[in-house]
Amino acid sequence: AQLQDGRPSEAVFPLLRASESEEFGVTAGLVLGSTLLESKNYEEAITAAQRVLEREPDNVLALNVLANAAGGLRDGSLTVEAADRLIALEPDNPTWLHVRGAGLVEMGRHDDARVLFEGVMNAPVPGSDPLSPARACTALAKLDADASETDAPVARLVECEERFGHQPAALAAVAALYKEMERPDDVIGLYQRAVERDPGSEGTRTTLANLLLRADRFEEAEQTIMEWVGDGNATSWASLAEVRVQAGDLPGALEAIEESIERSGAEPPAESVFRKADILVSLGRLEAAELLLPMLEGEELYEGIISGRLLHERGDSAAALEIYNQVLNHWPQNYGLRAHAAVAAISMDDLPRAKSDLLEAIRHAAGETDAALWLARIQFAEGDYGAAGQMAMRHNQERGTSGPQALLLAAQAFLRNGQPQAANRSLAALAEARGGIFRGWALSEAAKIVAHRDGPQAGLDHLSGALEESGLDLGSEEGEPALARLVELSVAAGKTADATRRVERLLAEHEDRPALQTISGRLAVLRGDLAEAEAAFARALELDPDHAGALAGRALALREAGDVAGASAAMERAFAMNQAAEYGYMAARIKLDSGDAVGAA
């Protein structure tokens, strides 16, 4: 019961007591050994297996636990001994040959292991284990790679692909070795060829899309799924939605999941309804998400996550966490649920709980949630800058550069940790990612670093030179972060008039850009022209009613005009739209200035 409730450590003691009895010695001993093996407590797993073998020397399950635990300890001699006993009992089971080969490798008997694996690879395919020859092939490639050879392992992996590439598990094994050899392009090429061989393979195509996402090749990832979407089935549209979520295209993801639901018939899968609700919450469309809850009745996991997210987004993190805890009792290993629980715990300042949940989510599926980024933020806030930088970089490697946040955080963390070169590498990677769509963020952060060190004029000079060299269009969406920094540094350096003239020129060409209208409004606030500022913010909000910068600017203008209540409401909405630190700080500051110390806290 404890094992099924996700509490293996608590299950060990009653299993141990049961295994000491005559009646349950074998049954409990086997479950105990397997439980200890799964938790990587190899020494105790061996002890449990040996106790069973004292009662039943030919118990195959106990010998299997013994062999695997010995392998975990890298005890080659004991692994080979257990494998030989298994081979004697089940000579037609090729699995035991693989176990023996692994033991020979640990003993340093590489030539014997090679002979064994070559025999298995070239033997007739056993009906009991059709993957056995493919596994032997990749084992030989691993032997070549461990021997520090360069051409031999690649040649062997090419052979493995040619002979066994039709088997998904074999593909995964070949990919794992390419990854271990730090050849990511070969991994992608491997799956591209697999898709060409079998265009209708859902798993292969999805794997390729995820690999392309992690390599920051977002357009290719979407195209990979779009080719499949042409068949018009619900599953392909759902996969397209997932790709778009990872790429940060939430409106596009919503469109795709709605198409998937439309093609699912009268009763769409609960998972698709959940995905739609989840995307709606992320888009801030809470009422629309809530309307889908009745369709999730009876689906405790999905219903719990959406109910919790709605409560959290509406400010009741304690109630959200209570729901998450109830659902976690039944799904303790669910990494998505762990990540949501951690975010709720962060809102309640329960950082130990948050870190525990985030580490679990990362351990189970580092590339499936933003858990690593949230953990990096906590580490940064706690002053553990080296760990924060590494964790932020890990997030970016696992998830791809869907946004600038991870690499910006990594740069800030490395800089504070006395690693300026690592910080510069992070910003250089951000500038190049996805065809340069985040170059404005990279240039902005680099200028901020220079200004912090040498003063606003130095930062302004640095940014001006970088902009001239890059050719970045400040009027474009990609150029907005750099323009905002340019104006900020110009004002700090006493050159507000220069900044105003530049913004006016850009507005003449791009009056439909809400960010430009917002910056124009902020400059008007600095000049004391509140009427012009209000007009500029109104124009920005007409173009984009949820533009966080315009809402924040309007809040500042309202505060200057004496409308503290209006300013507070506008700044809180800005923070809800974009949880940037400056918006949260200003929302709290306005409350504090109005005498609402509790609200500010």
Side-chain angles (χ1 to χ4, degrees):
Q2 287 170 332
L3 285 173
Q4 291 203 17
D5 201 29
R7 295 149 59 189
S9 59
E10 296 176 46
V12 168
F13 177 72
L15 285 171
L16 181 61
R17 291 299 302 273
S19 71
E20 293 167 353
S21 71
E22 284 300 318
E23 185 180 1
F24 295 104
V26 172
T27 306
L30 289 172
V31 180
L32 175 63
S34 299
T35 302
L36 292 166
L37 180 64
E38 191 172 333
S39 63
K40 298 185 179 180
N41 190 344
Y42 300 124
E43 294 92 343
E44 293 299 323
I46 288 172
T47 300
Q50 287 172 334
R51 283 178 181 157
V52 173
L53 291 167
E54 287 171 6
R55 289 185 167 94
E56 295 185 1
D58 292 340
N59 189 297
V60 171
L61 294 175
L63 285 168
N64 187 25
V65 170
L66 178 64
N68 281 285
L73 286 177
R74 308 192 72 169
D75 185 338
S77 179
L78 183 57
T79 303
V80 170
E81 178 190 331
D84 285 342
R85 292 170 67 180
L86 286 162
I87 291 168
L89 291 167
E90 296 183 347
D92 295 329
N93 188 338
T95 299
W96 312 138
L97 292 173
H98 287 276
V99 173
R100 189 177 203 278
L104 291 172
V105 172
E106 291 298 346
M107 293 176 71
R109 294 168 56 184
H110 293 170
D111 290 341
D112 291 339
R114 191 178 295 277
V115 170
L116 183 151
F117 286 127
E118 284 177 347
V120 173
M121 180 179 70
N122 294 311
V125 177
S128 61
D129 185 4
L131 284 173
S132 181
R135 286 162 53 209
C137 188
T138 53
L140 287 166
K142 183 74 166 67
L143 277 172
D144 291 334
D146 289 344
S148 300
E149 298 182 42
T150 52
D151 296 335
V154 172
R156 179 73 73 177
L157 287 173
V158 169
E159 179 188 1
C160 296
E161 180 188 354
E162 289 174 350
R163 292 182 60 175
F164 310 110
H166 60 284
Q167 298 175 332
L171 270 183
V174 172
L177 271 176
Y178 274 134
K179 187 175 181 181
E180 189 176 316
M181 294 162 63
E182 298 184 351
R183 299 174 70 100
D185 289 342
D186 285 327
V187 179
I188 291 174
L190 175 75
Y191 277 96
Q192 285 174 328
R193 291 187 293 275
V195 167
E196 288 171 7
R197 287 194 299 270
D198 185 5
S201 172
E202 173 187 339
T204 306
R205 195 174 282 276
T206 302
T207 299
L208 174 58
N210 286 328
L211 288 167
L212 290 166
L213 286 171
R214 284 161 176 73
D216 283 352
R217 294 161 64 173
F218 285 77
E219 290 182 4
E220 290 178 67
E222 181 161 337
Q223 184 58 37
T224 297
I225 301 298
M226 287 296 291
E227 292 168 1
W228 180 29
V229 163
D231 295 337
N233 62 62
T235 305
S236 61
W237 279 100
S239 294
L240 179 60
E242 291 300 305
V243 167
R244 286 176 172 174
V245 166
Q246 280 200 248
D249 178 12
L250 292 180
L254 179 61
E255 179 184 318
I257 199 65
E258 286 178 337
E259 188 70 32
S260 175
I261 290 171
E262 179 70 23
R263 292 168 184 266
S264 298
E267 293 189 18
E271 183 178 1
S272 296
V273 177
F274 164 73
R275 293 295 176 208
K276 179 179 178 180
D278 199 48
I279 293 167
L280 286 167
V281 174
S282 297
L283 285 167
R285 295 172 57 183
L286 306 186
E287 291 78 11
E290 193 165 27
L291 290 174
L292 297 176
L293 278 175
M295 298 177 68
L296 296 174
E297 266 188 51
E299 299 286 344
E300 186 180 359
L301 175 62
Y302 295 151
E303 187 179 11
I305 290 176
I306 297 303
S307 298
R309 289 203 68 194
L310 287 168
L311 286 166
H312 174 71
E313 292 296 327
R314 287 166 172 160
D316 195 348
S317 297
L321 193 56
E322 187 175 335
I323 287 178
Y324 292 146
N325 287 337
Q326 292 170 3
V327 183
L328 278 168
N329 285 333
H330 300 285
W331 285 275
Q333 311 302 330
N334 188 283
Y335 50 82
L337 185 56
R338 288 277 180 191
H340 287 309
V343 174
I346 290 170
S347 297
M348 297 170 65
D349 267 347
D350 187 353
L351 298 189
R353 161 67 192 271
K355 286 192 284 189
S356 173
D357 281 334
L358 292 171
L359 286 168
E360 276 296 297
I362 293 166
R363 184 171 70 85
H364 285 288
E368 298 301 321
T369 72
D370 288 339
L373 180 56
W374 279 106
L375 183 56
R377 287 169 175 156
I378 293 175
Q379 291 166 334
F380 187 92
E382 292 179 335
D384 192 355
Y385 300 122
Q390 293 297 334
M391 189 59 67
M393 291 299 292
R394 179 177 180 181
H395 167 86
N396 208 71
Q397 288 159 4
E398 295 280 0
R399 299 276 280 168
T401 315
S402 59
Q405 299 88 346
L407 287 173
L408 286 174
L409 181 61
Q412 293 162 4
F414 286 137
L415 193 68
R416 295 196 185 197
N417 200 46
Q419 298 173 269
Q421 290 182 331
N424 288 334
R425 284 196 297 272
S426 299
L427 293 179
L430 182 61
E432 296 301 319
R434 297 178 62 182
I437 65 172
F438 302 122
R439 188 179 297 123
W441 287 102
L443 296 181
S444 169
E445 187 63 24
K448 177 184 173 182
I449 291 170
V450 173
H452 181 74
R453 185 186 65 219
D454 301 326
Q457 185 59 55
L460 181 60
D461 292 342
H462 175 89
L463 181 55
S464 298
L467 286 170
E468 187 173 342
E469 184 178 337
S470 70
L472 182 66
D473 179 8
L474 289 176
S476 67
E477 185 176 353
E478 289 80 3
E480 287 175 8
L483 176 62
R485 184 74 66 199
L486 186 72
V487 170
E488 174 194 313
L489 292 173
S490 296
V491 171
K495 297 184 175 179
T496 305
D498 291 347
T500 300
R501 284 192 292 271
R502 182 188 286 267
V503 171
E504 286 174 350
R505 286 197 301 272
L506 289 170
L507 266 175
E509 301 172 10
H510 307 281
E511 62 178 12
D512 60 338
R513 304 288 309 157
L516 283 173
Q517 297 286 358
T518 298
I519 292 172
S520 175
R522 289 202 169 196
L523 287 168
V525 171
L526 289 174
R527 295 195 306 270
D529 190 344
L530 298 184
E532 174 55 32
E534 182 63 37
F537 295 135
R539 287 193 293 271
L541 291 170
E542 187 178 331
L543 292 164
D544 180 0
D546 294 328
H547 194 280
L551 288 165
R554 186 166 186 270
L556 295 177
L558 289 170
R559 187 180 66 166
E560 290 293 318
D563 184 357
V564 177
S568 182
M571 192 62 79
E572 284 194 69
R573 188 164 168 232
F575 188 45
M577 293 298 104
N578 179 356
Q579 296 197 343
E582 61 177 308
Y583 298 152
Y585 169 75
M586 286 306 301
R589 181 79 250 179
I590 293 171
K591 282 188 177 295
L592 187 61
D593 290 345
S594 67
D596 183 5
V598 174

